[in-house]
Amino acid sequence: MRTMRRMAVATILGLVMLHAQGSFDRNCVPCHRREKVSLRKTFMNALLIYSGERNMKAGLRYFLRHPSKETSAMGEEYFKTHRLKKPLKLSDKELDEALDTYWQRYKVVGKLE
């Protein structure tokens, strides 16, 4: 009986911690780690293409909903070793939260001295 309670408490704590991480840490980071794709490099590639926060978020949002080689921020070389991802099944709210976190974590403006 005590073992079952401990397992239940551990499961609940794990779920609470997972939810507290945020959409970006739950949905983006694990996949990028598994695929060995640098989030920073992807960010910089997207920033070169889209030239700013609003355009970048809109471009990434479109790509994540409708992935294709033509709308990817990665070059042709990338697809020689990586597959094209499937469309994300996140809610609009979760996707916007993930993109906001991505921007805040990797933006350069305001971090240079």
PDB file of all heavy atoms in Angstrom, residues 2-3 16 18-20 26 35 42 57-58 63-65 88-89 103 108 110:
ATOM      1  N   ARG A   2       1.900   1.295   0.836  1.00  0.00           N
ATOM      2  CA  ARG A   2       2.785   2.463   0.889  1.00  0.00           C
ATOM      3  C   ARG A   2       3.514   2.640  -0.441  1.00  0.00           C
ATOM      4  O   ARG A   2       3.732   3.765  -0.887  1.00  0.00           O
ATOM      5  CB  ARG A   2       3.801   2.311   2.027  1.00  0.00           C
ATOM      6  CG  ARG A   2       3.186   2.515   3.393  1.00  0.00           C
ATOM      7  CD  ARG A   2       4.227   2.348   4.437  1.00  0.00           C
ATOM      8  NE  ARG A   2       4.964   3.595   4.556  1.00  0.00           N
ATOM      9  CZ  ARG A   2       5.806   3.864   5.525  1.00  0.00           C
ATOM     10  NH1 ARG A   2       6.057   2.967   6.454  1.00  0.00           N
ATOM     11  NH2 ARG A   2       6.419   5.013   5.582  1.00  0.00           N
ATOM     12  N   THR A   3       3.897   1.527  -1.048  1.00  0.00           N
ATOM     13  CA  THR A   3       4.601   1.582  -2.329  1.00  0.00           C
ATOM     14  C   THR A   3       3.712   2.204  -3.399  1.00  0.00           C
ATOM     15  O   THR A   3       4.174   3.018  -4.198  1.00  0.00           O
ATOM     16  CB  THR A   3       5.059   0.172  -2.756  1.00  0.00           C
ATOM     17  OG1 THR A   3       5.849  -0.375  -1.720  1.00  0.00           O
ATOM     18  CG2 THR A   3       5.843   0.219  -4.040  1.00  0.00           C
ATOM     19  N   VAL A  16       3.426  17.263 -12.816  1.00  0.00           N
ATOM     20  CA  VAL A  16       3.423  18.686 -12.466  1.00  0.00           C
ATOM     21  C   VAL A  16       4.692  19.356 -12.970  1.00  0.00           C
ATOM     22  O   VAL A  16       4.647  20.444 -13.554  1.00  0.00           O
ATOM     23  CB  VAL A  16       3.270  18.880 -10.931  1.00  0.00           C
ATOM     24  CG1 VAL A  16       3.574  20.303 -10.525  1.00  0.00           C
ATOM     25  CG2 VAL A  16       1.864  18.482 -10.501  1.00  0.00           C
ATOM     26  N   LEU A  18       6.626  18.369 -15.443  1.00  0.00           N
ATOM     27  CA  LEU A  18       6.603  18.380 -16.902  1.00  0.00           C
ATOM     28  C   LEU A  18       5.749  19.533 -17.406  1.00  0.00           C
ATOM     29  O   LEU A  18       6.139  20.262 -18.310  1.00  0.00           O
ATOM     30  CB  LEU A  18       6.070  17.045 -17.434  1.00  0.00           C
ATOM     31  CG  LEU A  18       6.064  16.858 -18.935  1.00  0.00           C
ATOM     32  CD1 LEU A  18       7.497  16.865 -19.468  1.00  0.00           C
ATOM     33  CD2 LEU A  18       5.384  15.564 -19.309  1.00  0.00           C
ATOM     34  N   HIS A  19       4.594  19.741 -16.788  1.00  0.00           N
ATOM     35  CA  HIS A  19       3.711  20.831 -17.204  1.00  0.00           C
ATOM     36  C   HIS A  19       4.329  22.196 -16.889  1.00  0.00           C
ATOM     37  O   HIS A  19       4.157  23.151 -17.636  1.00  0.00           O
ATOM     38  CB  HIS A  19       2.349  20.704 -16.525  1.00  0.00           C
ATOM     39  CG  HIS A  19       1.383  21.730 -16.978  1.00  0.00           C
ATOM     40  ND1 HIS A  19       0.864  21.733 -18.257  1.00  0.00           N
ATOM     41  CD2 HIS A  19       0.851  22.809 -16.353  1.00  0.00           C
ATOM     42  CE1 HIS A  19       0.064  22.770 -18.390  1.00  0.00           C
ATOM     43  NE2 HIS A  19       0.028  23.438 -17.253  1.00  0.00           N
ATOM     44  N   ALA A  20       5.072  22.289 -15.813  1.00  0.00           N
ATOM     45  CA  ALA A  20       5.672  23.560 -15.396  1.00  0.00           C
ATOM     46  C   ALA A  20       6.807  23.991 -16.322  1.00  0.00           C
ATOM     47  O   ALA A  20       7.168  25.157 -16.336  1.00  0.00           O
ATOM     48  CB  ALA A  20       6.182  23.448 -13.962  1.00  0.00           C
ATOM     49  N   ARG A  26       9.038  21.298 -23.296  1.00  0.00           N
ATOM     50  CA  ARG A  26       8.367  19.997 -23.406  1.00  0.00           C
ATOM     51  C   ARG A  26       8.343  19.470 -24.827  1.00  0.00           C
ATOM     52  O   ARG A  26       8.453  18.266 -25.045  1.00  0.00           O
ATOM     53  CB  ARG A  26       6.913  20.100 -22.931  1.00  0.00           C
ATOM     54  CG  ARG A  26       6.702  20.081 -21.470  1.00  0.00           C
ATOM     55  CD  ARG A  26       5.226  19.891 -21.112  1.00  0.00           C
ATOM     56  NE  ARG A  26       4.284  20.647 -21.925  1.00  0.00           N
ATOM     57  CZ  ARG A  26       3.905  21.906 -21.685  1.00  0.00           C
ATOM     58  NH1 ARG A  26       4.388  22.550 -20.647  1.00  0.00           N
ATOM     59  NH2 ARG A  26       3.041  22.508 -22.468  1.00  0.00           N
ATOM     60  N   GLU A  35      17.285  14.521 -32.366  1.00  0.00           N
ATOM     61  CA  GLU A  35      17.723  14.628 -33.767  1.00  0.00           C
ATOM     62  C   GLU A  35      19.107  15.255 -33.906  1.00  0.00           C
ATOM     63  O   GLU A  35      19.624  15.366 -35.006  1.00  0.00           O
ATOM     64  CB  GLU A  35      16.704  15.443 -34.568  1.00  0.00           C
ATOM     65  CG  GLU A  35      15.340  14.812 -34.665  1.00  0.00           C
ATOM     66  CD  GLU A  35      15.333  13.533 -35.466  1.00  0.00           C
ATOM     67  OE1 GLU A  35      16.078  13.430 -36.461  1.00  0.00           O
ATOM     68  OE2 GLU A  35      14.570  12.625 -35.093  1.00  0.00           O
ATOM     69  N   THR A  42      19.603  26.709 -35.634  1.00  0.00           N
ATOM     70  CA  THR A  42      18.318  26.833 -36.310  1.00  0.00           C
ATOM     71  C   THR A  42      17.776  28.252 -36.152  1.00  0.00           C
ATOM     72  O   THR A  42      17.261  28.847 -37.101  1.00  0.00           O
ATOM     73  CB  THR A  42      17.315  25.812 -35.737  1.00  0.00           C
ATOM     74  OG1 THR A  42      17.865  24.500 -35.855  1.00  0.00           O
ATOM     75  CG2 THR A  42      15.995  25.855 -36.468  1.00  0.00           C
ATOM     76  N   LYS A  57       8.699  34.546 -36.232  1.00  0.00           N
ATOM     77  CA  LYS A  57       7.666  33.749 -35.563  1.00  0.00           C
ATOM     78  C   LYS A  57       6.600  33.296 -36.559  1.00  0.00           C
ATOM     79  O   LYS A  57       6.147  32.151 -36.516  1.00  0.00           O
ATOM     80  CB  LYS A  57       7.035  34.534 -34.415  1.00  0.00           C
ATOM     81  CG  LYS A  57       7.949  34.660 -33.216  1.00  0.00           C
ATOM     82  CD  LYS A  57       7.282  35.467 -32.116  1.00  0.00           C
ATOM     83  CE  LYS A  57       8.159  35.612 -30.908  1.00  0.00           C
ATOM     84  NZ  LYS A  57       7.507  36.415 -29.853  1.00  0.00           N
ATOM     85  N   ALA A  58       6.202  34.183 -37.464  1.00  0.00           N
ATOM     86  CA  ALA A  58       5.190  33.830 -38.466  1.00  0.00           C
ATOM     87  C   ALA A  58       5.724  32.747 -39.408  1.00  0.00           C
ATOM     88  O   ALA A  58       5.013  31.787 -39.725  1.00  0.00           O
ATOM     89  CB  ALA A  58       4.769  35.068 -39.257  1.00  0.00           C
ATOM     90  N   PHE A  63       5.894  27.034 -40.989  1.00  0.00           N
ATOM     91  CA  PHE A  63       6.683  25.829 -41.245  1.00  0.00           C
ATOM     92  C   PHE A  63       6.280  24.686 -40.317  1.00  0.00           C
ATOM     93  O   PHE A  63       6.150  23.539 -40.756  1.00  0.00           O
ATOM     94  CB  PHE A  63       8.186  26.101 -41.091  1.00  0.00           C
ATOM     95  CG  PHE A  63       9.001  24.844 -41.134  1.00  0.00           C
ATOM     96  CD1 PHE A  63       9.230  24.189 -42.325  1.00  0.00           C
ATOM     97  CD2 PHE A  63       9.517  24.288 -39.972  1.00  0.00           C
ATOM     98  CE1 PHE A  63       9.954  23.001 -42.374  1.00  0.00           C
ATOM     99  CE2 PHE A  63      10.238  23.112 -39.999  1.00  0.00           C
ATOM    100  CZ  PHE A  63      10.466  22.469 -41.213  1.00  0.00           C
ATOM    101  N   LEU A  64       6.090  24.976 -39.047  1.00  0.00           N
ATOM    102  CA  LEU A  64       5.768  23.920 -38.089  1.00  0.00           C
ATOM    103  C   LEU A  64       4.386  23.322 -38.338  1.00  0.00           C
ATOM    104  O   LEU A  64       4.142  22.166 -38.005  1.00  0.00           O
ATOM    105  CB  LEU A  64       5.880  24.454 -36.657  1.00  0.00           C
ATOM    106  CG  LEU A  64       7.314  24.799 -36.241  1.00  0.00           C
ATOM    107  CD1 LEU A  64       7.319  25.593 -34.947  1.00  0.00           C
ATOM    108  CD2 LEU A  64       8.172  23.552 -36.129  1.00  0.00           C
ATOM    109  N   ARG A  65       3.488  24.086 -38.933  1.00  0.00           N
ATOM    110  CA  ARG A  65       2.162  23.573 -39.300  1.00  0.00           C
ATOM    111  C   ARG A  65       2.173  22.876 -40.666  1.00  0.00           C
ATOM    112  O   ARG A  65       1.403  21.957 -40.903  1.00  0.00           O
ATOM    113  CB  ARG A  65       1.138  24.711 -39.330  1.00  0.00           C
ATOM    114  CG  ARG A  65       0.865  25.333 -38.002  1.00  0.00           C
ATOM    115  CD  ARG A  65      -0.045  24.449 -37.176  1.00  0.00           C
ATOM    116  NE  ARG A  65      -0.486  25.188 -35.988  1.00  0.00           N
ATOM    117  CZ  ARG A  65      -0.523  24.656 -34.789  1.00  0.00           C
ATOM    118  NH1 ARG A  65      -0.173  23.408 -34.615  1.00  0.00           N
ATOM    119  NH2 ARG A  65      -0.913  25.369 -33.762  1.00  0.00           N
ATOM    120  N   LEU A  88       3.371  19.817 -36.601  1.00  0.00           N
ATOM    121  CA  LEU A  88       3.155  19.854 -35.147  1.00  0.00           C
ATOM    122  C   LEU A  88       1.675  19.789 -34.832  1.00  0.00           C
ATOM    123  O   LEU A  88       0.866  20.377 -35.536  1.00  0.00           O
ATOM    124  CB  LEU A  88       3.697  21.161 -34.567  1.00  0.00           C
ATOM    125  CG  LEU A  88       5.108  21.173 -34.039  1.00  0.00           C
ATOM    126  CD1 LEU A  88       5.390  22.503 -33.365  1.00  0.00           C
ATOM    127  CD2 LEU A  88       5.396  20.053 -33.096  1.00  0.00           C
ATOM    128  N   LYS A  89       1.368  19.103 -33.762  1.00  0.00           N
ATOM    129  CA  LYS A  89      -0.030  19.002 -33.335  1.00  0.00           C
ATOM    130  C   LYS A  89      -0.255  19.750 -32.026  1.00  0.00           C
ATOM    131  O   LYS A  89      -1.005  19.299 -31.179  1.00  0.00           O
ATOM    132  CB  LYS A  89      -0.420  17.539 -33.202  1.00  0.00           C
ATOM    133  CG  LYS A  89      -0.355  16.814 -34.521  1.00  0.00           C
ATOM    134  CD  LYS A  89      -0.898  15.428 -34.434  1.00  0.00           C
ATOM    135  CE  LYS A  89      -0.584  14.688 -35.660  1.00  0.00           C
ATOM    136  NZ  LYS A  89      -1.374  14.311 -36.591  1.00  0.00           N
ATOM    137  N   TRP A 103      12.263  32.745 -28.946  1.00  0.00           N
ATOM    138  CA  TRP A 103      12.772  34.079 -29.252  1.00  0.00           C
ATOM    139  C   TRP A 103      13.511  34.660 -28.052  1.00  0.00           C
ATOM    140  O   TRP A 103      14.625  35.166 -28.179  1.00  0.00           O
ATOM    141  CB  TRP A 103      11.643  35.007 -29.687  1.00  0.00           C
ATOM    142  CG  TRP A 103      12.152  36.374 -29.967  1.00  0.00           C
ATOM    143  CD1 TRP A 103      12.123  37.456 -29.137  1.00  0.00           C
ATOM    144  CD2 TRP A 103      12.833  36.813 -31.143  1.00  0.00           C
ATOM    145  NE1 TRP A 103      12.723  38.544 -29.734  1.00  0.00           N
ATOM    146  CE2 TRP A 103      13.167  38.171 -30.963  1.00  0.00           C
ATOM    147  CE3 TRP A 103      13.167  36.185 -32.353  1.00  0.00           C
ATOM    148  CZ2 TRP A 103      13.828  38.903 -31.936  1.00  0.00           C
ATOM    149  CZ3 TRP A 103      13.826  36.930 -33.319  1.00  0.00           C
ATOM    150  CH2 TRP A 103      14.157  38.267 -33.109  1.00  0.00           C
ATOM    151  N   VAL A 108      19.582  37.836 -29.902  1.00  0.00           N
ATOM    152  CA  VAL A 108      20.891  38.453 -29.677  1.00  0.00           C
ATOM    153  C   VAL A 108      20.717  39.878 -29.183  1.00  0.00           C
ATOM    154  O   VAL A 108      21.461  40.320 -28.299  1.00  0.00           O
ATOM    155  CB  VAL A 108      21.722  38.425 -30.988  1.00  0.00           C
ATOM    156  CG1 VAL A 108      23.052  39.106 -30.778  1.00  0.00           C
ATOM    157  CG2 VAL A 108      21.907  37.003 -31.466  1.00  0.00           C
ATOM    158  N   GLY A 110      19.939  43.002 -27.197  1.00  0.00           N
ATOM    159  CA  GLY A 110      19.762  43.196 -25.778  1.00  0.00           C
ATOM    160  C   GLY A 110      20.663  42.312 -24.926  1.00  0.00           C
ATOM    161  O   GLY A 110      20.728  42.456 -23.711  1.00  0.00           O
TER     162      GLY A 110
END
